[in-house]
Amino acid sequence: MSVSIKSAREIELMRAAGKILAKVHENLGKELKPGMSTWEIDKLGEEMIRSFGCIPSFKNYNGYPAAICVSVNNEVVHGIPTKKHLIHEGDIVSLDAGVIYKGYHSDAARTHGVGEISKEAALLIERTRQSFFEGIKYAKDGNHLHEISNAIGAYAESFGYGVVRELVGHGIGTHLHEDPQIPNFAQKSRGVRLKSGMTLAVEPMINAGRPDVEWLSDDWTVVTEDGSLSAHYENTILITDGEPEILTLTETESNLGIGEPKGEDRA
Ligand code: CO
């Protein structure tokens, strides 16, 4: 397995791709309203991506028919947008999107609540996001990849949640999926050594219930086997000698201080 190290020029392009995708998520998240179809969400997302001069990387990827994966409630990932599937108050909706800017990819996902959602759903979303941040505390030159995996899994499982096994994060760059694979649960090996200039898509997929998933007959949509809710949180990050750089953090998140070290973690 070989993990590509991006040059300074490539890192600039990855940053630009990430910034655009963060804007797409920022804007698309604000558009979600009860009564909308998942097809409308995809159309809006694709228009936004193209308006920034980017290509939606998911469209036609292995035959995937849309630009945005829209996964509702018990759907984990890769939900296919349709005109029939309407979103309702109380739903949780995972939006996963990827863009290509001047040949470089970024990939990010967010789970949103539609209107008022249950306490259980809000906690799942919040803890799924936090599991990402627990993981990337270890995302640093000289550390090993599976330190990230172990930390994500330990945090999510501490709440009794099920961490999806069948799908993993990945390296990213001139391709959407590059080496290495990045599991979200405890590993026996330590994994590759992280190096400055690696760009990774870290993406915990966490179920409120059991970890088991199954595929619907469309061959794409992944759902929880027990019907429990599932949340997804993904960013493209850059490994450095210090804190990782999160290339796809949204403006709202950075205004909220999400992604900044908490008081207790500060030296
Ligand atoms: Co991804």
Side-chain angles (χ1 to χ4, degrees):
M1 177 162 68
S2 87
V3 182
S4 69
I5 303 296
K6 275 72 179 180
S7 68
R9 177 192 147 270
E10 292 182 293
I11 289 169
E12 274 314 310
L13 293 169
M14 293 290 297
R15 283 195 181 111
K19 249 199 183 103
I20 291 168
L21 184 54
K23 262 239 147 10
V24 169
H25 269 294
E26 178 81 40
N27 296 344
L28 197 53
K30 289 176 180 157
E31 295 287 341
L32 292 186
K33 282 169 197 81
M36 250 177 134
S37 72
T38 56
W39 182 88
E40 283 175 83
I41 297 168
D42 174 59
K43 283 301 142 220
L44 278 172
E46 179 165 358
E47 277 166 26
M48 285 177 196
I49 290 169
R50 296 200 189 274
S51 76
F52 288 110
C54 291
I55 297 167
S57 53
F58 296 178
K59 195 135 193 193
N60 302 320
Y61 183 85
N62 291 337
Y64 185 75
I68 316 285
C69 298
V70 186
S71 309
V72 183
N73 294 335
N74 62 310
E75 295 173 351
V76 179
V77 288
H78 304 168
I80 297 180
T82 66
K83 288 185 178 175
K84 276 195 191 147
H85 195 163
L86 306 184
I87 60 169
H88 302 104
E89 169 111 17
D91 284 346
I92 66 170
V93 180
S94 299
L95 302 180
D96 190 353
V99 307
I100 311 171
Y101 177 72
K102 296 189 178 171
Y104 285 81
H105 289 251
S106 61
D107 183 6
R110 296 290 184 275
T111 301
H112 300 277
V114 181
E116 205 161 316
I117 60 172
S118 68
K119 186 82 200 280
E120 178 205 11
L123 281 174
L124 176 68
I125 293 172
E126 155 67 21
R127 289 161 173 171
T128 299
R129 180 177 67 198
Q130 189 58 32
S131 74
F132 165 91
F133 288 102
E134 294 299 318
I136 67 159
K137 286 179 181 170
Y138 298 89
K140 188 180 175 174
D141 185 287
N143 284 358
H144 288 86
L145 180 71
H146 293 166
E147 294 178 68
I148 301 175
S149 306
N150 298 342
I152 292 171
Y155 181 79
E157 286 171 357
S158 75
F159 301 102
Y161 293 151
V163 177
V164 174
R165 261 69 177 158
E166 286 87 343
L167 298 140
V168 297
H170 48 95
I172 181 167
T174 53
H175 299 273
L176 174 59
H177 294 139
E178 300 185 356
D179 285 339
Q181 292 198 14
I182 311 174
N184 296 301
F185 55 96
Q187 301 297 300
K188 293 198 178 85
S189 63
R190 59 186 191 170
V192 295
R193 196 179 160 103
L194 299 173
K195 255 183 83 59
S196 268
M198 288 180 175
T199 45
L200 308 174
V202 178
E203 51 177 319
M205 289 151 269
I206 310 292
N207 303 342
R210 303 279 314 149
D212 313 80
V213 297
E214 57 192 25
W215 272 255
L216 296 186
S217 57
D218 63 17
D219 281 340
W220 277 105
T221 313
V222 181
V223 298
T224 58
E225 209 175 270
D226 62 7
S228 65
L229 294 176
S230 187
H232 187 196
Y233 187 85
E234 174 180 29
N235 283 305
T236 300
I237 68 168
L238 169 70
I239 301 297
T240 75
D241 293 331
E243 299 277 320
E245 211 177 297
I246 305 172
L247 304 183
T248 48
L249 203 67
T250 67
E251 201 178 308
T252 298
E253 287 172 327
S254 66
N255 289 343
L256 288 170
I258 288 166
E260 282 161 25
K262 292 201 181 133
E264 65 220 68
D265 298 334
R266 237 176 252 143

